Amino acid sequence: MEGIDLSLLKSLSRPELFEFEGISMVQYFTDNWENIQNFKARPDDILIATYPKAGTTWVSYMLELLYFGNTEPERQTSMPIYIRVPFLESLFPGMPSGVELADNLPTTPRLIKTHLPVQLVPKSFWEQNCKVVYVARNAKDNAVSYFHFERMNMGQPDPGDWNTFLQRFMEGKKVFGPWYDHVCGYWEKKQTYSNLHYMFFEDMVEDTGREVGHLCSFLGLSTAIEERERITKSTHFDAMKQNKMTNYSTVPILDFTISPFMRKGKVGDWKNHFTVAQNEQFDEHYKQKMKNTTLQFRTEI
Ligand code: A3P
């Protein structure tokens, strides 16, 4: 891949967390800030927005296959998902910035990923009335997944032990800010911005085919049922875990000996991590944080 030297990532050291535009951030997502904020979205761009570890890669691959699975099959076998669906705010050594990758995407539509909270999304996406696909995941499983991701990802701050991580998660001191504000922010946006499709990780696990169908309706795609079934199969956890183009095994800052990127893909794994005391504390805090929203999550299915 032209202009990309992933080996440079090996020299990366774990970044410090700092306050930036009202949330916790690390330099890899703020160094290119001006270009990010000035990004020129096109009306047919599709923005995939998530809090980290909510199912971003999963929905990205669904969209890739829906749009380009038939017309450009070689993209699926030769380009990792993080090149096909650029991570807008990213700037890592050895890689073009997310903005550059997005600017140079040859496809229509362009699929673009962001973890930015709704208030920091470049305004051109709203001005151009772009379609936005948001995936949310229940806080407990999201936290567990994020913990393991920080353990294995040298591009993230050190998570400490599980209890330390959980306290920081509840305080909102994680890269991209508080989970609570993130999921509620896009939920509120959806009330006034009709081009936003709000999905849940739990629904995707429960019935992937149904969720692919809902995506097609939102996107105005008349994808044949057989094709949708093929996509449902190709985006199954086991298939994506085996697939080098979707399992992130090509990224050297991720240490798979600590934890794989495609870790479990389940609803309810939090039960294997939360102690009874942690769960009670979390529930109490959650009630407070979420008391003003109609947004509801399932922590088991
Ligand atoms: P776990 O750590 O709980 O396994 P993101 O892509 O936003 O970083 O999210 C990663 C999480 O989504 C991981 O969760 C990963 O296993 C899960 N995931 C990715 N693809 C999946 C799929 N096809 N089915 C179920 N879960 C999937």
Side-chain angles (χ1 to χ4, degrees), residues 53-58 137 145 201 235-237 240 261-265:
K53 311 320 286 175
T56 331
T57 316
W58 194 4
R137 185 178 193 183
S145 184
F201 181 90
T235 58
H236 188 275
F237 179 81
M240 285 183 64
F261 183 89
M262 295 285 165
R263 197 181 56 89
K264 287 194 181 173

Side-chain angles (χ1 to χ4, degrees), residues 15 51 72 80 85 106-108 168 171 274:
Y51 191 72
E72 303 190 44
V85 182
T107 58
T108 306
R168 303 280 290 166
E171 288 163 22
F274 282 67

Side-chain angles (χ1 to χ4, degrees), residues 4-290:
I4 299 181
D5 181 2
L6 290 173
S7 66
L8 286 175
L9 283 172
K10 281 194 194 127
S11 57
L12 210 85
S13 53
R14 282 191 182 272
E16 291 294 325
L17 205 62
F18 56 88
E19 289 299 300
F20 183 84
E21 299 280 340
I23 58 168
S24 298
M25 279 295 239
V26 291
Q27 67 184 83
Y28 304 122
F29 309 126
T30 61
D31 277 354
N32 200 27
W33 197 247
E34 214 174 302
N35 291 326
I36 296 162
Q37 288 302 303
N38 292 329
F39 181 73
K40 284 195 175 41
R42 299 180 196 148
D44 51 10
D45 286 344
I46 298 176
L47 186 68
I48 298 166
T50 56
Y51 191 72
K53 311 320 286 175
T56 331
T57 316
W58 194 4
V59 84
S60 298
Y61 194 40
M62 278 179 188
L63 287 171
E64 257 287 323
L65 292 178
L66 278 170
Y67 280 104
F68 312 118
N70 283 333
T71 51
E72 303 190 44
E74 73 286 354
R75 275 171 68 79
Q76 272 71 51
T77 50
S78 63
M79 287 172 107
I81 191 81
Y82 50 83
I83 304 295
R84 285 179 272 156
V85 182
F87 183 5
L88 186 66
E89 55 272 23
S90 67
L91 182 60
F92 287 106
M95 287 210 28
S97 68
V99 169
E100 271 173 87
L101 284 171
D103 278 340
N104 293 316
L105 268 185
T107 58
T108 306
R110 302 186 297 184
L111 305 175
I112 300 169
K113 153 185 161 179
T114 187
H115 288 318
L116 291 171
V118 71
Q119 72 277 14
L120 298 182
V121 167
K123 61 180 186 317
S124 63
F125 284 101
W126 312 120
E127 288 166 355
Q128 298 295 331
N129 198 30
C130 295
K131 288 195 171 69
V132 179
V133 175
Y134 186 78
V135 185
R137 185 178 193 183
N138 81 75
K140 293 178 183 177
D141 282 327
N142 206 141
V144 167
S145 184
Y146 206 168
F147 170 63
H148 290 293
F149 186 61
E150 286 202 330
R151 289 173 57 233
M152 59 88 82
N153 183 353
M154 302 311 133
Q156 289 278 132
D158 190 327
D161 64 14
W162 164 240
N163 194 52
T164 307
F165 176 92
L166 190 60
Q167 302 306 320
R168 303 280 290 166
F169 182 89
M170 286 161 57
E171 288 163 22
K173 300 282 184 226
K174 287 285 134 201
V175 185
F176 293 107
W179 174 92
Y180 312 89
D181 296 354
H182 208 284
V183 295
C184 291
Y186 281 91
W187 184 251
E188 291 310 316
K189 184 77 183 177
K190 175 184 141 72
Q191 314 310 320
T192 54
Y193 185 84
S194 58
N195 251 355
L196 196 158
H197 182 56
Y198 201 105
M199 302 175 74
F200 294 92
F201 181 90
E202 293 73 28
D203 293 347
M204 289 163 70
V205 172
E206 183 179 64
D207 190 341
T208 311
R210 178 191 65 206
E211 295 306 311
V212 171
H214 288 166
L215 260 180
C216 289
S217 306
F218 169 68
L219 299 165
L221 296 174
S222 52
T223 312
I225 184 90
E226 301 77 38
E227 180 58 18
R228 278 197 253 154
E229 280 167 6
R230 245 198 321 273
I231 291 171
T232 301
K233 234 167 117 185
S234 306
T235 58
H236 188 275
F237 179 81
D238 298 333
M240 285 183 64
K241 192 178 168 87
Q242 295 305 319
N243 182 344
K244 273 203 179 68
M245 295 297 124
T246 58
N247 67 13
Y248 275 84
S249 56
T250 46
V251 180
I253 43 169
L254 305 182
D255 187 344
F256 279 49
T257 63
I258 298 176
S259 178
F261 183 89
M262 295 285 165
R263 197 181 56 89
K264 287 194 181 173
K266 295 252 186 295
V267 180
D269 187 39
W270 61 271
K271 292 177 191 168
N272 298 315
H273 292 76
F274 282 67
T275 63
V276 172
Q278 282 169 344
N279 197 34
E280 282 171 4
Q281 184 206 9
F282 193 89
D283 284 348
E284 196 48 46
H285 176 260
Y286 187 92
K287 242 190 274 163
Q288 285 304 316
K289 296 298 280 183
M290 301 293 276

